[in-house]
Structures are given as structure tokens and as C-alpha cells.
């Protein structure tokens, strides 16, 4: 019985140490091709930036950062962005759920010549976890945040997790 207890303690300890932080997760998926901006810095009144939500429209409709423009991920249209935002030195902040899909879009913007692009560290999850406001499609404050999937929802600590169990999940985990 004593050995069994020690084995359980050892297994539990390994499981705890295997838990990742958001920093570990972002290091796993991102290569820092786009520098991060913290939620606190973006929330400062003096931070003037164009904010692109790189999640899908169904996620954006549940909630998003105030003044964010949904540019999507699967159907991201660089030509449309270049038409609407020709000044390639304007400060642009991209975000998604955690900051993984947004890095991909940020890299596309940088490749197109945009020189002042930042990725919101931890995405909308970190924004909400730090008690900043999100709004729904009617511009009303909401606690709802689309968490993409049950697996990824563990990273949202505050707010109400929204996702549909029957939503088709992508095979490429880079998209979270």
C-alpha cells in the first residue's frame, strides 16, 4: 500500500509538471515572427492602433475587443486590408483566441510590407482573464468568449466559455 501511494504521488507530480503555461504554449506554436504587445499596453488610452481580430466571424460575433475589425483566418484577404489600410507604417495589433492564428496573419501583413505589426499576447483569452471588457455583435458588454473548442477553453479563466460541441475542428492544430 505504501508503494502504491508513492507511485500515485509520483504520477500526480509528473502530471502537474506537464501542465503548460500560456508562455510555454505560445513558444510551442509561435516563432516570434511578430512581436507581442501585452493586454495592459494595448488597453492604455494612449495606445493608438488598428485592431484586427483574426478569428472566424462566428467567434467574433460572440465577443471581440472594442473597435476590432474581423479579418478572419481561413478567408483572410490581404488585398482588402491593403485597400482599406494603405499606410503600411500604421500600428496594427492582431489577435485571436490565444495568439497563435494571429501570428500567422501578422506574418502575412509583415511580408506585405506592414512595418508596425504586433500580436496581442494571449489573445482575447488573456484580455478577458485580465478583466478587460469584450463586446458582442450588438456592441454590448458581454461575459461570453468563444473558446474555439473544449480543449482550448482551459486557457480562459474568466468569463463564460462558448463553443459548440458539433463544430468541426480543424486537423491542423496550428490554427488554435
Amino acid at each position: 500500500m505504501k508503494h502504491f501511494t508513492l507511485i500515485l504521488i509520483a504520477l500526480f507530480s509528473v502530471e502537474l509538471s506537464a501542465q503548460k503555461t500560456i508562455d510555454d504554449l505560445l513558444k510551442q506554436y509561435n516563432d516570434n515572427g511578430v512581436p507581442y504587445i501585452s493586454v495592459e499596453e494595448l488597453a492604455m488610452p494612449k495606445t493608438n492602433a488598428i485592431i484586427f481580430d483574426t478569428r472566424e466571424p462566428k467567434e467574433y460575433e460572440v465577443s471581440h475587443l472594442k473597435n476590432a475589425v474581423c479579418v478572419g483566418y481561413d478567408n483572410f484577404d490581404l488585398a482588402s486590408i491593403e485597400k482599406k489600410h494603405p499606410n503600411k507604417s500604421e500600428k496594427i495589433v492582431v489577435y485571436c483566441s490565444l495568439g497563435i492564428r494571429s501570428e500567422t496573419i501578422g506574418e502575412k501583413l509583415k511580408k506585405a510590407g506592414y512595418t508596425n505589426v504586433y500580436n496581442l499576447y494571449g489573445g482575447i483569452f488573456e484580455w478577458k482573464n485580465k478583466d478587460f471588457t469584450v463586446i458582442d455583435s450588438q456592441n454590448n458588454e458581454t461575459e461570453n468568449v468563444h473558446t474555439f473548442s473544449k480543449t482550448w477553453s482551459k486557457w480562459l479563466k474568466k468569463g463564460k466559455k462558448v463553443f459548440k460541441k458539433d463544430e468541426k475542428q480543424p486537423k491542423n492544430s496550428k490554427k488554435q
Side-chain angles (χ1 to χ4, degrees):
M1 185 65 171
K2 193 185 249 184
H3 292 338
F4 180 72
T5 304
L6 289 174
I7 290 171
L8 277 178
I9 290 170
L11 287 173
F12 185 72
S13 297
V14 169
E15 180 65 27
L16 279 179
S17 67
Q19 294 295 319
K20 293 182 177 182
T21 65
I22 244 180
D23 200 45
D24 292 334
L25 182 75
L26 292 175
K27 284 178 184 171
Q28 177 183 347
Y29 288 101
N30 291 354
D31 62 10
N32 287 341
V34 180
Y36 291 113
I37 184 172
S38 71
V39 296
E40 294 86 356
E41 184 177 348
L42 181 59
M44 293 176 73
K46 67 178 182 182
T47 303
N48 188 21
I50 297 165
I51 304 172
F52 290 153
D53 186 321
T54 67
R55 301 172 303 149
E56 294 306 307
K58 67 183 175 200
E59 296 170 88
Y60 177 86
E61 289 171 9
V62 170
S63 65
H64 55 273
L65 277 59
K66 188 175 183 176
N67 299 321
V69 176
C70 182
V71 298
Y73 181 84
D74 289 336
N75 297 309
F76 176 72
D77 182 7
L78 181 60
S80 172
I81 299 297
E82 289 177 313
K83 223 180 251 183
K84 291 176 186 169
H85 302 281
N87 180 353
K88 294 193 174 186
S89 64
E90 284 182 295
K91 186 173 196 168
I92 295 174
V93 175
V94 293
Y95 77 90
C96 62
S97 298
L98 286 161
I100 298 169
R101 289 178 286 177
S102 52
E103 180 172 85
T104 301
I105 299 302
E107 287 172 342
K108 288 180 181 183
L109 290 167
K110 286 181 70 177
K111 195 173 196 178
Y114 288 89
T115 58
N116 203 7
V117 181
Y118 295 87
N119 188 4
L120 184 62
Y121 180 89
I124 195 171
F125 289 7
E126 188 71 3
W127 183 266
K128 189 64 183 157
N129 289 342
K130 299 279 182 149
D131 292 317
F132 292 109
T133 302
V134 294
I135 58 173
D136 63 20
S137 58
Q138 282 78 45
N139 288 324
N140 296 316
E141 286 187 24
T142 184
E143 289 299 307
N144 296 339
V145 177
H146 197 293
T147 57
F148 193 76
S149 72
K150 185 175 183 178
T151 303
W152 293 94
S153 69
K154 73 178 184 178
W155 297 104
L156 182 69
K157 307 296 182 197
K158 296 184 179 179
K160 182 179 177 194
K161 300 171 184 184
V162 175
F163 66 91
K164 292 182 182 172
K165 291 179 184 172
D166 61 340
E167 284 180 345
K168 185 179 175 187
Q169 298 302 312
K171 293 177 184 175
N172 177 359
S173 62
K174 170 74 173 159
K175 291 176 69 173
Q176 278 51 278

